[in-house]
Every structure is written in C-alpha cells, then in structure tokens.
Amino acid sequence: MQDDNPLWCDYAEPDEAPCRTLLVLAGLVSIAMNIIAATIRVCRMSDQLWPLKPTQLAQTRRVRVEPL
C-alpha cells in the first residue's frame, strides 16, 4: 500500500457486520412502516369505493318480469 492512496481508509478499517440489536431494530422499523402503508392503502380504498356505489346503483336497469 502506498502513502498517496486516497482510499487508504478503506484498507485500514475492516468492515464489521451490524450487531443483532441493530438488525432487530431495522426489522421492527420495516414492519411498522409496512403496517402504516397498508393502513393508508385500506383507508384510501374505502374512500374510493364509496363514491362508486351510488353511480353503480343509478346505472343498473331494473327489468320487470311478467308472469306467464
């Protein structure tokens, strides 16, 4: 290794794996964010479905069936 190498710090310090606590914390944060995103999607879906019902009811045709 030469002294004029600008990446000397990459060679000097070995990469350490994250500890188990950080991995668990990252997993919990990921799960919490997915739950929040799913909740938001469900809330938006209900807002999108309710306006469709009156228009669908107005567009349905009622057919009268006469007895034979």
Side-chain angles (χ1 to χ4, degrees), residues 27-43:
L28 291 175
V29 168
S30 175
I31 290 170
M33 290 177 65
N34 285 332
I35 289 172
I36 291 170
T39 305
I40 290 172
R41 279 193 299 264
V42 167
C43 290

Side-chain angles (χ1 to χ4, degrees), residues 10-56:
D10 289 341
Y11 301 115
E13 299 174 7
D15 292 332
E16 295 182 16
C19 64
R20 186 176 295 176
T21 306
L22 288 177
L23 291 174
V24 169
L25 183 62
L28 291 175
V29 168
S30 175
I31 290 170
M33 290 177 65
N34 285 332
I35 289 172
I36 291 170
T39 305
I40 290 172
R41 279 193 299 264
V42 167
C43 290
R44 285 185 181 169
M45 186 187 320
S46 66
D47 289 343
Q48 292 172 357
L49 289 178
W50 279 108
L52 292 179
K53 289 296 180 184
T55 56
Q56 287 177 351

